[in-house]
């Protein structure tokens, strides 16, 4: 074979390889953009999914696979571990319990962007899709309640059987002209400033003080609970938790709550210093049709730990009803 033919063959092979390589690079880019993003399949492993925008979401899947699924969404700046007591109780009573680390928190990826309620809700939707869950009892604590509300607002209740809002941030935490009972912006600016100044100290102060009402007279702080809260918070990304302050405080969930058309349980502590009950639990109950509101006298924001026996019993009764 002549050298001219060999050169032509080599050029053809190299051109073909280049085209193939370009196609291989372009394919995943196309799969996470535009209309192709909606069609792309969410990748799943035993304990993670990878969302269509490339974020890895860690999840736990406890209990019998044949049980009715319960998804529990955690608060800021925590992760799925904060639900251990309730998840263990529900799984031991026959439910399949899924808890996940929100993007930027726990063992999930820490993307620089996308730390907002729309992305949180879409991540939750893709987790549900990847596990092909139906007839779900979907509940959220604090910021997780916002995630649940925005999920309903964006994705509806086709896969949902019941809903729960626990010490949850909806309808709107921020004080505005149309929400005079909310907290002033200065409160959230203070949290942001403290996070930048010394995030570790902020988390320690929150856990050992108002989150569990350990700053109330006669309180008996649990060092184990404080340590667990602190460890979870510090595992989350700095930028992610900083951005999430805006997400949980400024997102207006009032229109989302109007779309709740499944049995809904709202539980809130009457002495919640983080998310005051009048602007949150009671206000949400006034919007959600046929919601059942249970209030715990004297209970703090973190009632799933401080009042876990009562909470576990109340939530299980709701799940089984």
């Amino acid at each position: 074979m002549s050298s001219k033919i060999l050169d032509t063959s080599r050029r053809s092979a190299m051109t073909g390889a280049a085209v193939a390589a370009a196609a291989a690079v372009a394919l995943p880019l196309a799969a996470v953009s535009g209309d192709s993003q909606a069609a792309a399949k969410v990748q799943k492993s035993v304990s993670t999914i990878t969302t269509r925008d490339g974020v890895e979401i860690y999840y736990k899947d406890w209990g019998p696979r044949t049980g009715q699924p319960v998804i529990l969404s955690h608060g800021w700046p925590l992760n799925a571990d904060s639900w251990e007591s309730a998840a263990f109780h529900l799984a031991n009573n026959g439910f399949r319990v899924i808890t996940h680390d929100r993007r930027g928190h726990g063992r999930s990826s820490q993307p620089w962007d996308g730390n907002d309620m729309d992305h949180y809700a879409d991540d939750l939707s893709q987790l549900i899709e990847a596990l092909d869950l139906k007839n779900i009892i979907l509940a959220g604590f604090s910021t997780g309640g916002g995630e649940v509300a925005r999920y309903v607002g964006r994705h509806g209740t086709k896969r949902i059987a019941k809903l729960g809002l626990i010490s949850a941030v909806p309808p709107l935490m921020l004080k505005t002209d149309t929400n005079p009972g909310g907290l002033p912006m200065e409160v959230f600016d203070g949290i942001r400033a403290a996070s930048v100044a010394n995030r570790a100290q902020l988390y320690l102060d929150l856990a050992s003080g108002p989150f569990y009402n350990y700053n109330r007279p006669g309180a008996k702080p649990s060092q184990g609970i404080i340590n667990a809260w602190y460890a979870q918070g510090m595992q989350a990304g700095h930028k992610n938790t900083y951005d999430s302050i805006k997400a949980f405080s400024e997102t207006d969930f009032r229109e989302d709550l109007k779309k709740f058309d499944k049995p809904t349980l709202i539980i809130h502590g009457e002495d919640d210093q983080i998310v005051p009950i009048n602007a949150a639990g009671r206000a949400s109950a006034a919007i959600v049709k046929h919601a059942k509101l249970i209030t715990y006298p004297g209970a703090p924001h973190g009632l799933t730990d401080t009042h876990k026996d009562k909470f576990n019993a109340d939530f299980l009764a709701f799940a089984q009803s």
Side-chain angles (χ1 to χ4, degrees):
M1 184 181 294
S2 70
S3 59
K4 184 176 181 180
I5 294 175
L6 285 172
D7 289 343
T8 301
S9 298
R10 289 192 188 99
R11 284 196 297 270
S12 298
M14 291 174 67
T15 300
V19 170
V25 171
L27 182 59
L29 292 176
V32 295
S33 63
D35 294 337
S36 298
Q37 179 174 342
K41 186 176 181 180
V42 177
Q43 299 300 308
K44 176 175 71 78
S45 73
V46 174
S47 59
T48 64
I49 67 162
T50 301
T51 65
R52 296 184 184 100
D53 62 343
V55 175
E56 190 171 77
I57 301 295
Y58 173 88
Y59 70 93
K60 300 179 185 181
D61 193 346
W62 290 3
R65 295 299 178 268
T66 56
Q68 183 178 6
V70 178
I71 298 179
L72 302 173
S73 180
H74 65 80
W76 174 95
L78 307 174
N79 60 48
D81 295 351
S82 64
W83 277 114
E84 277 192 350
S85 175
F88 187 71
H89 185 68
L90 289 163
N92 278 330
N93 280 278
F95 290 91
R96 179 183 180 183
V97 187
I98 293 92
T99 55
H100 63 290
D101 292 356
R102 186 172 300 117
R103 66 167 57 203
H105 297 68
R107 291 138 293 203
S108 293
S109 300
Q110 297 184 6
W112 190 254
D113 299 310
N115 304 296
D116 55 71
M117 283 294 169
D118 286 354
H119 280 86
Y120 297 162
D122 290 352
D123 292 346
L124 175 59
S125 176
Q126 291 174 66
L127 175 63
I128 290 171
E129 172 191 328
L131 298 180
D132 193 23
L133 302 174
K134 300 179 179 68
N135 195 33
I136 303 163
I137 300 169
L138 176 61
F141 170 84
S142 194
T143 299
E147 180 179 298
V148 166
R150 185 49 51 94
Y151 170 86
V152 172
R154 288 174 69 81
H155 301 282
T157 59
K158 181 179 180 180
R159 291 176 179 260
I160 307 302
K162 299 176 183 179
L163 293 157
L165 298 173
I166 316 303
S167 303
V169 298
L172 172 61
M173 285 197 72
L174 183 66
K175 182 178 181 179
T176 66
D177 291 342
T178 62
N179 188 49
L183 297 172
M185 180 65 80
E186 290 77 15
V187 171
F188 307 108
D189 285 343
I191 298 173
R192 277 184 281 265
S195 181
V196 171
N198 190 337
R199 185 167 73 113
Q201 189 62 51
L202 169 65
Y203 290 177
L204 188 60
D205 291 344
L206 285 171
S208 59
F211 197 93
Y212 296 109
N213 285 2
Y214 288 155
N215 57 340
R216 294 303 197 205
K220 297 179 180 180
S222 164
Q223 194 61 49
I225 288 177
I226 294 169
N227 290 353
W229 198 101
Y230 176 82
Q232 289 176 53
M234 293 307 296
Q235 192 176 9
H238 189 6
K239 172 67 158 54
N240 310 98
T241 53
Y242 182 90
D243 287 356
S244 192
I245 297 167
K246 179 180 178 68
F248 72 65
S249 65
E250 297 182 39
T251 304
D252 190 339
F253 300 102
R254 287 175 287 192
E255 292 303 315
D256 300 309
L257 293 176
K258 292 176 183 178
K259 297 180 181 180
F260 278 41
D261 57 1
K262 302 293 183 180
T264 302
L265 176 65
I266 300 175
I267 295 179
H268 217 104
E270 293 182 6
D271 192 24
D272 189 329
Q273 299 180 68
I274 305 296
V275 183
I277 186 172
N278 287 335
R282 288 182 177 135
S284 289
I287 297 174
V288 178
K289 295 179 180 179
H290 311 299
K292 179 180 181 179
L293 172 64
I294 300 177
T295 67
Y296 291 4
H301 189 59
L303 58 78
T304 55
D305 283 314
T306 61
H307 293 62
K308 72 176 185 178
D309 291 340
K310 178 170 175 52
F311 171 75
N312 287 346
D314 287 342
F315 195 85
L316 178 62
F318 172 69
Q320 293 176 332
S321 64

